[in-house]
Each structure stands twice: as structure tokens, then as C-alpha cells.
Amino acid sequence: MHNGEWRNEGREEMTESRVVIETFDSEVLKGNFLDDPSARRVAIYLPPGYGENPRARYPTVFFLVGFTGRGTMLLNESFFDENIQQRLDRLIGSGEIMPLIMVMPDCSTRYGGSQYINSLGTGRYEDHLIEELVPWVDENFRTISERYFRAVMGKSSGGYGSVVLAMRHSEVFGLMACHSGDMNFDLCYRPDFVDYLRGIKKYGGLEKYLANLWKIRPRDADFRAILNTVAMASCYSPNLDSPYGFDLPFDQDTGETDEKVWARWKEWDPLNLIAVHADALRYQRLVYLDAGTRDEFHLQYGARAFCRRLDRLGVPYQYEEFEDGHRDIMYRYDVSLKAISAVWKG
């Protein structure tokens, strides 16, 4: 195959990269409400030549994966595409990006994901990243431990996490790239609410759904709509006095919106966060966003609205739309990684 021949030729010209997978036992995730494990497997990509020059230091990218993902999934082999190690090897080997370290955390939860924020209903995943993983990586690997050489990027929920962490922790991350990130909650989350209402009955109600979550087959569109709604509620509207640990933003019988709960969700919408964190975005060396024109979750509209707010606030950014949907868009990582590297190269 042409791709295979091309990859082999690229690897012959450079020293092999390495991926190490470390188990990090988090203190801040211990005792979380969902009883998810505190020990997480973290994958770290080390560029070609890392082991040969002990004095060399490298910029770092933290890659946040999407809903129901773990960082190690970026290493999966694919019939049609490269995994992240192959992609980085190609881009570094061709000189299109500079050598870098990539960190791939695991911030998954029993319900699929943490949105990379702190929540009583899931755990302190924001603290896990900022207070634990970033300093640990700097202590154990040869990074350039300055915000200007530390980027955060991600796709879908990981894109959301990248935007939120860049806004809330500009002292840690100096560059941000968001691929198809969750924005405009009215468009990306509310459509699932109707599917939730229609589907929850066949599982015997929410209590039985949660009790049998890992046994349910098939995991069809109804299952996924309910899971996404449950996961987001556990992140955005936790309530430990509730039998489920969270409040839903609608009545489960009539579907009527609970405005107080929905307002709690909307507080976390990047379209609303941006007004508070505009200065942090101005402090970024790169604000990159993209979305597909046929995104199944309508995230191109959220991205457009976010960019319009960036315009009003005078925040520089790069935005691209591409002819595709939400899934299988790993090829877009080439674009953001080149944009990140271009800033580092100056």
C-alpha cells in the first residue's frame, strides 16, 4: 500500500520515537462520587532523538480525547488512518512540525467523561490535570516548562476541555487548539433530551438504566443519547442529595425545561464563559478552532458563534470549516499541530 511504503521510508530517515505508558495514582481523584479508579494510565509520546541527547528539552502538547475516550485510544491502529505516534513521526520527520512531547491523559468516568472540569458528581479532573499531571510531566520528562511552550488540544469533549482549560488556566497553557468542541449547548445537547425521554422507558427508567449501564446491549442511539445526557448532568448540574448524584434539566415525564438546572449547564457553555475569560484568551499565543460543515452535533454553529464573540472582544484566532462530519477527522490534527509548531518556531 502506498501509505505503508511512505511511512517506512520516513522511519528509515530518523531515530524511532517512543511511547511510554505510566500509571499515575491521583490523590485528587480518590474518593470520587462515582467510585471511579484514581489510578490512571497516561501515555506520553517522546520524539525521535529524545534518548540520544540528554540535554535537549521539548515543548509539550496535552491531548484531550472525546467523550467515552481515554488517551491511550489515540495509539490504536487504524486501517484507514495513522495513530498519533505515526502521525507525529511523519510530521516531525518531514520537518512540518518541530519535535515535541505529547501527553495523553485519561479523564474518563463511569458515565463516559468528565469534560475535564471539577464536579462533585464526577471528580476533580481539572485539578488532576493542572495540579498533578502538568507538574509531574515537567518533573519526569525533559519539557520546556513554560506556558509559552505548553499547548492543550482536543476533539469534541476534548476540544471543549481545551477551550475551558485555556480560559481558566492561561498561566499553564499558552496555546489552544479545539477540534469540533462542545459549544452552544442549546444546539449540541438539547436534541438528545427528546431522545432521552423516548428511550428511557424501554430501560425501565433512569434508576434501572444506571444500574445496568455496563450490561445493556445493543448500545443504540437511545442508549447513547441517555448516556450523554447523564454524563453532562453529572458534570454541569451535580446534586449529591439526588438519588442519582445529579439533576436533569428537564421533567422526565413532560419534557418541560427546569430553568434553574438548565442555567447551571449554560454557565459552562463556552459562549457564556468567554465574557469572563476574554483576557485569558488574549494571553494565548494561539487560539485555533475548526469544525465540519456536516457535524452531526451541530458544533459548527457553536464554533461560528464563539468566533463571533472573539471578534467582538478583539481576540485573535484561527478558524477553519471543512467538508466533513464529526467522526473520523483525525487528519485535521495535522492542521492544528502545524499551527502550534509555527508559533513555537516563531
Side-chain angles (χ1 to χ4, degrees), residues 10-41:
R11 287 183 178 181
E12 288 173 1
E13 297 172 358
M14 62 181 181
T15 309
E16 291 287 332
S17 64
R18 285 194 302 135
V19 173
V20 296
I21 299 178
E22 301 279 354
T23 298
F24 186 96
D25 195 4
S26 167
E27 288 297 322
V28 303
L29 294 181
K30 289 180 179 176
N32 64 79
F33 180 76
L34 294 178
D35 199 27
D36 287 324
S38 60
R40 301 298 176 111
R41 296 174 74 238

Side-chain angles (χ1 to χ4, degrees), residues 2 17 46 72 107 123 143 163 204 206 219 248 254 274 277 331:
H2 176 71
S17 64
L46 303 175
T72 51
C107 291
T143 66
V163 171
L206 181 56
R219 292 173 179 164
L248 291 169
T254 67
I274 189 172
H277 298 287
Y331 61 92

Side-chain angles (χ1 to χ4, degrees), residues 50-85:
Y50 182 89
E52 297 176 1
N53 186 354
R55 300 181 64 182
R57 291 191 170 272
Y58 301 88
T60 312
V61 174
F62 280 72
F63 196 116
L64 311 182
V65 297
F67 186 61
T68 70
R70 297 183 176 93
T72 51
M73 293 173 67
L74 291 165
L75 304 172
N76 291 347
E77 298 285 347
S78 170
F79 184 78
F80 288 109
D81 210 340
E82 302 159 301
N83 67 17
I84 198 66
Q85 183 176 16

Side-chain angles (χ1 to χ4, degrees), residues 87 179 288-291 320-322 329-337:
R87 185 174 303 279
H179 295 279
Y288 173 90
L289 304 99
D290 69 16
E320 296 184 14
E321 286 191 9
F322 52 93
I329 58 170
M330 289 77 72
Y331 61 92
R332 295 296 305 177
Y333 303 159
D334 280 28
V335 182
S336 58
L337 287 167

Side-chain angles (χ1 to χ4, degrees), residues 57 95 149 219 228 298:
R57 291 191 170 272
F149 292 96
R219 292 173 179 164
N228 191 71
H298 323 298

Side-chain angles (χ1 to χ4, degrees), residues 261-296:
V261 177
W262 184 237
R264 294 177 65 192
W265 283 45
K266 293 292 289 289
E267 288 176 1
W268 285 100
D269 191 329
L271 298 188
N272 295 322
L273 287 172
I274 189 172
V276 179
H277 298 287
D279 286 342
L281 289 174
R282 292 191 189 97
Y283 195 39
Q284 295 293 309
R285 298 183 73 192
L286 174 71
V287 175
Y288 173 90
L289 304 99
D290 69 16
T293 57
R294 302 191 303 276
D295 190 282
E296 292 84 347

